[in-house]
Amino acid sequence: MVTKTFGTNAVDWEQRIDLARLRSERLARLRAQLDASSLGALLCFDFANIRYMTATHIGTWAIDKLIRFALLPRGGEPVVWDFGSAARHHQLYNPWLDHTAGPATPEGARATGARAGISTLRGAFHPDAGIAEDVAAKVAEVLHEHGLAGAPVGVDVAEVPVLAALRAAGIETVDGQQVFLEARRVKTGDEISLLSQACAMVDAAYEQLYEFLRPGVRENECVGLVARALYDLGSEFVEGVNAISGERCSPHPHVYSDRLIRPGDPAFFDILHSHLGYRTCYYRTFAVGSASRAQRDAYVRCREYMDQAIAMVRPGVTTGDIVALWPQATEFGFPDETAAFALQYGHGVGLSIWEKPIFSRLVSLDHPEPLEEGMVFALETYWPAADGWSAARIEEELVVTADGCEVLTRFPAEELLVAGRKYWTAGGALNTLRESQSNLNTPAGRGERPELGDPSGPGDGTGVSS
């Protein structure tokens, strides 16, 4: 199987991603999971779940506001409550939210699937304003309309005042996140194509980053370059760019800085962005100017753990089988699996990152989950170098196929790439496998006895440590 990579525009001369099919298949999967549960309805505040259920989006500025909410009643159609002009926009441009009979109209959507409403803005509204109670009343009204009063409602994430208001309205709330994540666990064909397109955009960003990397640039400049490249390609949201270099590589801090990149530095990056809602999580490691033997060896080991895991991926294999191939925390300097969490790691990727399935020695050996065709996930490996300060980090995104898997992340990573200028010496090209401290590349600089008859002890002239 080779996942097709389409252009991002719509055309009349080629069948590309079918967005109407995407919407209907996602909702069908969510309905199936709801029907298989004991819940009367699903109530969501998380942006990814709202988008999966209703195919609405108002921009990423509101992603952390807990401002919007949506409800899917058993046997009914989804309803999304949004504020002001956002609700009006849905009524005008989201005809799938008109659940009345006949042609879709803004009035029909306003009466059924796209309504004005707002939650508590993470507590910013005055507690006595009655906003939480209004949320509960709106939810209760729909439940009564469908004869679901008294049925438990599954909630993904919510604020305590909203939960209290739902309880006061006689609505039993339980964990609904598992229902959402089960529906989203296996991807549709259109979802897989969108995830592949998102990876293709990161391939292009890494090409620009590789050309840009050199001594003297800062980590934050690399972040800016990647963000610009992705937005120019049409990215909806650059969720984050992890840029780590030099001695910041071990331990991994998971946040970029303004550090100046120096000759001989390792530098690894994680690029997370969204294309039509579908995310990437995509690490690559480079050496800048040159790499030491310790860096190269760390990369080789990191790559071996990755390749062993990829070779095992196929339907029926479990997350426990995969993580059993990876080293224990104590083998790379951590006291336990909690302390080493997310360094040897895997996670589903879809409308958010870190979906099901999760791969970690912390949980997967005791609670293994079987892999299924159509799952898309990222595998991440890490290894600290013997020098005590550098490290390697690699991540690949995979889609599980009928008899194995396909890797969606295509920027070269089988060997450690050296970025930056190629340097020339009087004896020829400077070897890129060298220590960053020049003296360590000559016998005399390492304190070894010079060759007899050569009191200056210039070494072998290659610039390569022996």
Side-chain angles (χ1 to χ4, degrees):
M1 168 181 158
V2 176
T3 301
K4 296 182 177 66
T5 304
F6 301 108
T8 55
N9 294 329
V11 297
D12 64 344
W13 46 265
E14 185 175 70
Q15 180 63 53
R16 296 184 174 182
I17 292 166
D18 187 330
L19 296 179
R21 180 176 60 199
L22 172 74
R23 289 189 288 265
S24 64
E25 288 185 348
R26 290 189 308 201
L27 181 56
R29 291 190 177 200
L30 188 58
R31 278 200 176 106
Q33 288 298 323
L34 174 58
D35 290 345
S37 75
S38 60
L39 305 178
L42 288 168
L43 175 62
C44 56
F45 295 82
D46 179 85
F47 260 43
N49 287 333
I50 293 173
R51 191 166 188 169
Y52 195 88
M53 179 194 294
T54 68
T56 58
H57 178 57
I58 65 167
T60 55
W61 64 270
I63 199 167
D64 62 344
K65 303 295 189 296
L66 290 177
I67 192 173
R68 323 162 61 216
F69 55 105
L71 183 74
L72 178 63
R74 180 185 289 268
E77 300 290 343
V79 182
V80 60
W81 286 269
D82 233 320
F83 65 95
S85 59
R88 181 59 176 161
H89 185 276
H90 302 330
Q91 294 157 12
L92 290 170
Y93 296 105
N94 300 161
W96 54 88
L97 292 176
D98 179 355
H99 307 316
T100 61
T105 64
E107 293 71 28
R110 181 169 61 250
T112 55
R115 307 180 185 183
I118 194 167
S119 190
T120 57
L121 273 177
R122 297 178 70 103
F125 281 120
H126 194 287
D128 295 335
I131 300 298
E133 289 75 15
D134 185 59
V135 171
K138 286 177 165 56
V139 171
E141 179 184 5
V142 176
L143 294 176
H144 280 284
E145 288 174 0
H146 290 82
L148 296 169
V153 174
V155 181
D156 55 0
V157 293
E159 297 170 277
V160 171
V162 172
L163 292 174
L166 291 167
R167 183 170 60 250
I171 299 171
E172 178 190 358
T173 58
V174 298
D175 178 22
Q177 186 71 295
Q178 293 302 313
V179 177
F180 282 106
L181 291 178
E182 281 300 316
R184 291 164 52 186
R185 187 167 53 93
V186 174
K187 273 49 181 184
T188 71
D190 292 306
E191 288 183 293
I192 293 169
S193 291
L194 287 170
L195 287 161
S196 182
Q197 284 185 333
C199 288
M201 295 160 77
V202 179
D203 298 341
Y206 270 126
E207 180 69 21
Q208 292 190 33
L209 181 59
Y210 179 76
E211 294 175 356
F212 177 73
L213 268 177
R214 62 190 184 276
V217 304
R218 291 173 294 175
E219 290 175 1
N220 56 291
E221 291 181 273
C222 297
V223 172
L225 176 132
V226 168
R228 170 66 185 270
L230 290 170
Y231 281 125
D232 283 350
L233 289 168
S235 176
E236 182 179 275
F237 175 40
V238 179
E239 184 173 357
V241 180
N242 216 340
I244 313 297
S245 67
E247 65 279 357
R248 297 184 71 243
C249 292
S250 184
H252 183 1
H254 298 276
V255 62
Y256 71 86
S257 76
D258 59 349
R259 183 186 181 276
L260 205 65
I261 293 175
R262 305 189 66 186
D265 273 352
F268 54 73
F269 303 85
D270 188 13
I271 300 179
L272 304 87
H273 89 110
S274 167
H275 171 55
L276 292 186
Y278 286 87
R279 298 295 206 267
T280 62
C281 192
Y282 186 167
Y283 269 101
R284 286 295 185 262
T285 297
F286 306 100
V288 182
S290 63
S292 70
R293 292 185 184 278
Q295 291 167 11
R296 192 271 310 274
D297 292 347
Y299 192 91
V300 168
R301 188 156 185 175
C302 192
R303 185 72 233 186
E304 287 176 349
Y305 287 130
M306 175 63 69
D307 289 339
Q308 290 168 9
I310 292 174
M312 181 172 277
V313 171
R314 60 186 181 277
V317 169
T318 71
T319 55
D321 297 327
I322 300 296
V323 303
L325 300 171
W326 291 342
Q328 298 180 37
T330 53
E331 295 180 55
F332 57 105
F334 291 87
D336 52 51
E337 298 302 332
T338 299
F341 181 74
L343 293 178
Q344 320 295 349
Y345 185 54
H347 56 89
V349 182
L351 284 171
S352 61
I353 61 169
W354 293 27
E355 298 184 354
K356 286 181 178 290
I358 294 295
F359 303 74
S360 171
R361 292 185 68 96
L362 179 64
V363 296
S364 300
L365 293 172
D366 294 329
H367 304 282
E369 298 180 77
L371 305 186
E372 298 179 49
E373 183 178 359
M375 282 184 171
V376 178
F377 50 80
L379 298 179
E380 312 179 24
T381 54
Y382 173 87
W383 197 258
D387 57 25
W389 61 275
S390 60
R393 183 75 155 157
I394 306 171
E395 184 169 22
E396 303 282 20
E397 289 186 37
L398 322 171
V399 55
V400 181
T401 62
D403 57 359
C405 68
E406 178 190 349
V407 177
L408 300 179
T409 40
R410 303 278 182 85
F411 195 82
E414 61 269 26
E415 294 185 32
L416 178 59
L417 296 184
V418 177
R421 179 189 297 274
K422 179 72 173 177
Y423 295 101
W424 296 87
T425 74
L430 184 67
N431 199 307
T432 55
L433 185 63
R434 59 184 295 276
E435 300 296 326
S436 58
Q437 298 178 68
S438 296
N439 63 299
L440 298 180
N441 297 307
T442 67
R446 295 193 296 269
E448 299 170 7
R449 291 185 60 188
E451 298 279 343
L452 290 175
D454 185 2
S456 62
D460 59 11
T462 66
V464 182
S465 59
S466 58

